[in-house]
Amino acid sequence: MKLIVIGGVAAGMSAASKLRRLNHEAEITVYERGQFPTYGACGLPYYISGENDDYRRMIARSQAYFAEKGIEVKLRHEVVKVDPGKKQIMVRSLESKRVFLESYDKLMISTGTTPIVPPFPGGELKGISVLKSMEDGIRIREDIERPDIRRVAIIGGGYIGVEMAEALSFQGKEVRIIEMADQILSPFDKEVAEKAEEELINNGVKLHLGEKLESFTGTPSSGNVSEIVTDRGVYEADYVIMSLGVRPATAFLKGRGVHLASNGAVIVDREMRTSVEDIYAAGDCAVVYHKVKQENDYIPLGTNANKCGRLAGANIAGSHKKYTGTLGSAAIKVFSLEMGRTGLSEPEAKRLSMEISTVVIESSDHPGYYPGATPLWIKLICEKRSRRILGAQVAGPKGAVLRVDTFAVAIHTGMTADELGMVDLCYAPPFAGVWDAIHVASNAVK
C-alpha cells in the first residue's frame, strides 16, 4: 500500500503514524507546504508573548524522527491538484519550483485552513500580518520586538485575537481589538463572554465592539501601516494582526469529484471517508460529526484533528472505526481568567429548534474559609423536558476549565442535570466545597 498524506501537522501526521504502527510495510509519504512538521500551533501566542522563549519546543516530532519510522516527510512541497481517476497528485516544490506527478493507493487530505483576509484598502501595507503558521509566529515575534512598534491593533475578537491581545500586552504594547459583532469569543454565550471583555479592559486592552474595519492608511516614506479606519473612527497603529477567522484550505479540490460543504470543508463520514473511494480527510479542512447535534459541523480544533486523524490512519489500514463525535469543547486563558465551553451554546440549541432551559450561577472554586477562594460563573443549557445537559460554559480565575471536562463527560454520556447534581465528586476545603460548583449549577436547573 502506498499512502500519500497532504498536510503534515496534526491530522495528517496522526494518520501517518497510526498507519505505520498497524502496517509496517506501507509506503508513506507526507507533503507539507511549511517548514515544520507536527507542531503545536496553539502555542504560538505564548511564544510571541515571551512566555516560551524557544519555538522549537512546539515541534512535537522532527522530520528525522519520522524518517526513522519509515515515514518520508517532504517539507516546502505544495499539492496543487488531485486526479482521483488516475490516482495521482501534482506537487510543486516551493524551493526549486519543480512540478511533478506522484501516484497513490490511498490519499489522506489534511490541509488545514487559510486565514480569511478581505481585500481592505491599504491591505498591502507593511506591518499587517496573520497568525496561522509557525513561520508567522516567528516573524511576528521578531517584528513586535522592534522599539518602534508600540501600538498594535487586532482585527477580530475570536480565540486567536484574544490570545494575541494578552500576548502583546505582555510585550508592553498598547493593544486595541476591533470586533464587528456585539461580543467577543462567539462560541461562548454573551453572559460568559462579558467576563472576558471585562478582563481585557481591566488589563488595559481597548475593546471596540460593534465596530467594522474599513481600511488602512500608511506612512508614504516607509510603506508601513500607521492607522486603521473603521466606521466609527480612526486609530493609530504601528502593527496590525488580522484575526477574522479561517476557511478550509481546499481550493485545489474544487471540481475534482470530492464533495465539499458550502464553506469548502471536505465532507466525510464518521470513518473519515470522502465521497471518492480511497480518499480520506480529517482536521480543520474537513467537517466533523457533532455528538449532540447528530450531524456534521465545522469546528476547526486541534482536538478533533488529532482524534480524527488517528481514526483515519486506522481505517486506511483496514479498520472501520467511527468517530464518536465532537462536543466542540474548547478553553482559553484571558490574563487571569480561565474560560471553557462544551456542547451546545444557547443560540445553537435555538437554531436547532430545541426546547431548552438555561441557568447561570455564581459559586466558588472552594469554600471561603480556606484561603484563596475565587468565583466561578457557570451557565448550563439543558433540554427542558428530559433535563438532559446539552451545553456548559464556565469562567473564573481558577478551577474553571477542568470543571468543563466534567460537564463534557456528562454531555457525552447523556446525563441529566439531576444525575450530575448527585455525582460523588471529590471534596476537601483546598479544592472544592461539599457541594461543588458543578453540583450547584446542576441542581439549579428548573
Side-chain angles (χ1 to χ4, degrees):
M1 180 201 300
K2 181 180 180 180
L3 170 68
I4 289 179
V5 179
I6 311 174
V9 183
M13 298 316 299
S14 293
S17 298
K18 184 63 175 178
L19 176 61
R20 172 54 72 230
R21 288 192 292 271
L22 296 175
N23 184 333
H24 300 293
E25 305 302 321
E27 180 184 345
I28 306 173
T29 302
V30 180
Y31 289 103
E32 165 56 41
R33 74 185 314 276
Q35 299 179 45
F36 305 93
T38 187
Y39 60 89
C42 296
L44 288 170
Y46 308 106
Y47 170 70
I48 292 168
S49 72
E51 293 164 279
N52 168 18
D53 61 0
D54 187 348
Y55 68 82
R56 291 172 295 184
R57 294 179 180 178
M58 291 182 281
I59 301 173
R61 299 284 186 271
S62 68
Q63 187 178 17
Y65 169 88
F66 287 112
E68 291 177 0
K69 301 295 182 181
I71 300 173
E72 185 179 15
V73 179
K74 295 187 177 182
L75 302 175
R76 301 287 293 154
H77 282 75
E78 181 178 21
V79 175
V80 296
K81 185 177 179 181
V82 174
D83 187 336
K86 295 180 179 179
K87 284 197 166 184
Q88 285 183 335
I89 61 169
M90 180 182 290
V91 187
R92 179 173 59 232
S93 168
L94 299 179
E95 299 291 348
S96 69
K97 309 305 179 186
R98 184 174 72 94
V99 176
F100 58 93
L101 300 175
E102 185 164 357
S103 62
Y104 64 85
D105 297 316
K106 306 279 187 178
L107 183 65
M108 172 70 187
I109 300 168
S110 48
T111 45
T113 61
T114 57
I116 296 172
V117 184
F120 293 107
E124 75 285 351
L125 290 164
K126 299 175 185 176
I128 301 174
S129 185
V130 297
L131 178 60
K132 174 64 179 68
S133 65
M134 180 80 86
E135 292 90 337
D136 293 332
I138 293 169
R139 186 188 64 256
I140 291 172
R141 175 153 172 184
E142 291 174 352
D143 288 345
I144 60 105
E145 287 179 344
R146 287 171 19 211
D148 60 311
I149 304 296
R150 296 183 292 111
R151 296 160 298 210
V152 182
I154 298 171
I155 313 302
Y159 288 119
I160 295 297
V162 171
E163 289 174 340
M164 282 301 295
E166 178 180 336
L168 293 164
S169 295
F170 282 178
Q171 288 282 16
K173 309 302 176 182
E174 298 176 21
V175 181
R176 186 185 306 273
I177 295 178
I178 306 294
E179 169 55 57
M180 187 170 62
D182 63 356
Q183 71 166 72
I184 59 171
L185 299 173
S186 60
F188 290 85
D189 289 349
K190 194 168 181 61
E191 305 97 316
V192 183
E194 284 174 350
K195 301 301 179 184
E197 294 165 5
E198 293 169 7
E199 186 71 9
L200 288 167
I201 293 168
N202 290 341
N203 282 275
V205 175
K206 297 177 178 67
L207 185 59
H208 300 250
L209 299 178
E211 193 161 348
K212 185 178 179 181
L213 177 70
E214 292 185 342
S215 64
F216 305 101
T217 57
T219 305
S221 58
S222 66
N224 291 322
V225 67
S226 60
E227 292 176 331
I228 60 171
V229 181
T230 75
D231 57 353
R232 293 190 182 181
V234 179
Y235 311 102
E236 293 182 315
D238 306 311
Y239 202 82
V240 176
I241 302 290
M242 299 294 288
S243 181
L244 295 173
V246 296
R247 62 169 57 94
T250 57
F252 72 104
L253 293 174
K254 290 180 180 178
R256 311 313 302 177
V258 177
H259 292 174
L260 305 177
S262 59
N263 70 338
V266 181
I267 297 173
V268 295
D269 64 13
R270 292 172 65 183
E271 295 183 12
M272 308 305 130
R273 297 178 300 185
T274 72
S275 58
V276 177
E277 188 176 2
D278 293 330
I279 299 181
Y280 297 73
D284 294 356
C285 68
V287 300
V288 63
Y289 180 75
H290 196 293
K291 191 173 181 69
V292 181
K293 296 180 181 181
Q294 296 185 346
E295 63 185 22
N296 284 336
D297 203 348
Y298 182 65
I299 305 178
L301 293 171
T303 46
N304 295 327
N306 281 280
K307 292 183 181 75
C308 293
R310 178 185 175 94
L311 287 175
N315 293 335
I316 289 168
S319 296
H320 290 280
K321 297 181 181 295
K322 289 180 169 58
Y323 186 38
T324 185
T326 184
L327 300 176
S329 303
I332 187 171
K333 173 182 172 291
V334 187
F335 290 96
S336 297
L337 185 72
E338 296 181 10
M339 294 175 61
R341 54 93 64 217
T342 187
L344 301 184
S345 65
E346 183 175 348
E348 283 180 309
K350 288 180 176 177
R351 282 196 294 271
L352 293 168
S353 300
M354 290 183 165
E355 189 175 357
I356 59 170
S357 62
T358 66
V359 64
V360 180
I361 64 104
E362 180 177 346
S363 187
S364 61
D365 68 316
H366 64 255
Y369 58 78
Y370 184 86
T374 58
L376 287 171
W377 296 275
I378 300 179
K379 179 172 183 177
L380 292 186
I381 298 96
C382 297
E383 190 176 49
K384 194 165 188 176
R385 180 183 58 81
S386 67
R387 302 167 65 83
R388 177 170 63 101
I389 302 172
L390 302 174
Q393 301 170 31
V394 188
K398 55 185 171 66
V401 167
L402 291 182
R403 281 178 169 86
V404 173
D405 285 341
T406 300
F407 285 117
V409 172
I411 295 168
H412 187 91
T413 57
M415 291 178 69
T416 66
D418 304 293
E419 290 171 328
L420 185 56
M422 287 294 170
V423 165
D424 188 17
L425 301 177
C426 290
Y427 159 64
F431 310 111
V434 64
W435 291 101
D436 186 77
I438 292 170
H439 293 129
V440 175
S442 300
N443 291 326
V445 174
K446 302 300 183 185

